[in-house]
Amino acid sequence: MFLSLALLCFPAHAVLDPREMLPDPAQEERARDIGRGLRCLVCQNQSIDDSNADLARDLRRIVRERVAAGDSDADVVAFVTDRYGDYVLLRPPVNAVTIGLWAAPALILLAGGAGALAYLRRRRRATPPEADPLSAEERARLKHLTAE
């Protein structure tokens, strides 16, 4: 029962400290939306909005400061990416630097398919051909040997 309650409370555990929240609910919602698109550089697979790491807390503070200062969402994201690079984005843009990230799944799938095809071709060549059926003379000899 404790585990199920802990799992139900997990999202609440990841929520930021109420002292971090902006007084204006609209600005707070904008900051949370922006935070959901930024990667925690410590956790790597969590947004800064979901992470409790110190760096994520600092990034949430920066985002909220920029939103409170009147920056647009794009300006806030640009401000953060200028300092931390495209890696801070959970969905990095497709450009010359990140094309490998976007192409990697397709390349891995193609390489796996080519490897499987090569394996099956080698296996087919390595399989010995079926033996020719026995001639009448060989059947007679086999019959004679098994009768003994």
Side-chain angles (χ1 to χ4, degrees):
M1 181 157 170
F2 176 76
L3 180 62
S4 62
L5 287 174
L7 289 175
L8 287 174
C9 294
F10 180 75
H13 173 68
V15 173
L16 52 105
D17 185 355
R19 293 173 294 184
E20 293 180 23
M21 296 176 69
L22 293 170
D24 181 7
Q27 286 183 336
E28 177 61 27
E29 188 57 36
R30 277 186 53 220
R32 300 228 26 195
D33 285 342
I34 294 168
R36 287 184 198 108
L38 298 175
R39 177 189 322 271
C40 172
L41 299 171
V42 176
C43 306
Q44 296 181 4
N45 289 327
Q46 286 184 324
S47 70
I48 63 168
D49 199 49
D50 296 331
S51 175
N52 283 328
D54 290 336
L55 181 58
R57 191 173 299 115
D58 292 342
L59 285 171
R60 284 194 303 264
R61 184 183 48 77
I62 290 170
V63 167
R64 279 169 176 72
E65 286 174 0
R66 304 305 303 176
V67 167
D71 289 357
S72 69
D73 293 2
D75 290 339
V76 174
V77 171
F79 182 85
V80 174
T81 54
D82 285 346
R83 277 137 190 88
Y84 295 98
D86 286 337
Y87 185 74
V88 77
L89 300 173
L90 282 172
R91 291 187 178 157
V94 178
N95 58 34
V97 176
T98 62
I99 193 71
L101 291 174
W102 290 102
L107 294 174
I108 290 170
L109 185 63
L110 285 173
L117 185 63
Y119 171 76
L120 291 174
R121 283 186 178 172
R122 260 186 276 133
R123 187 173 156 197
R124 191 176 335 147
R125 275 190 247 133
T127 305
E130 290 196 27
D132 294 331
L134 296 176
S135 65
E137 181 182 305
E138 291 170 330
R139 272 184 267 150
R141 181 161 182 220
L142 181 62
K143 189 175 186 181
H144 173 66
L145 289 172
T146 57
E148 293 177 2

